[in-house]
Amino acid sequence: QVQVVESGGGLVQPGGSLRLSCATTGSIGRIYGMGWHRQAPGKQRELVASILSVGTTNYADSVKGRFTISRDNAKNTVYLQMNSLKPEDTAVYYCRIFSSTAIPWGQGTQVTVSS
């Protein structure tokens, strides 16, 4: 019953922008933070950005300065604004809720950066 639904992905040219959204449904226990992961073909899933309940944000070096994570606590939604996209950003993006409640991975949203 508890799930996450990612959206906002698509095909963009290098240098373009996308805004990903992750909506959560169901009753979730205490939330310690939220994060965005991505998995490119042939690579391991990696944490791209996170935001803790206290508001602290963290970014992978590869996206620092280009991506911005934010949240809407009232809607239990987390966003990822992606600017200056590069082909290396091509991946399936997943959101993750850091909580005592076990929440399975969603389907993710495909981001493809290509000219």
Side-chain angles (χ1 to χ4, degrees), residues 16-94:
S17 298
L18 284 174
R19 182 177 175 85
L20 307 184
S21 298
C22 175
T24 63
T25 61
S27 181
I28 305 175
R30 179 172 174 76
I31 297 176
Y32 301 101
M34 301 179 178
W36 283 96
H37 296 71
R38 69 184 181 186
Q39 186 166 21
K43 295 185 177 181
Q44 296 296 112
R45 189 170 299 182
E46 63 174 341
L47 179 64
V48 174
S50 64
I51 181 167
L52 303 182
S53 61
V54 295
T56 303
T57 57
N58 184 70
Y59 300 92
D61 289 339
S62 59
V63 307
K64 194 171 298 182
R66 299 187 296 118
F67 291 10
T68 302
I69 187 171
S70 61
R71 67 186 182 189
D72 185 333
N73 291 334
K75 298 181 179 180
N76 280 345
T77 301
V78 60
Y79 306 93
L80 185 66
Q81 178 66 48
M82 305 185 295
N83 299 324
S84 302
L85 284 164
K86 304 176 180 180
E88 305 92 275
D89 297 318
T90 296
V92 177
Y93 285 71
Y94 304 86

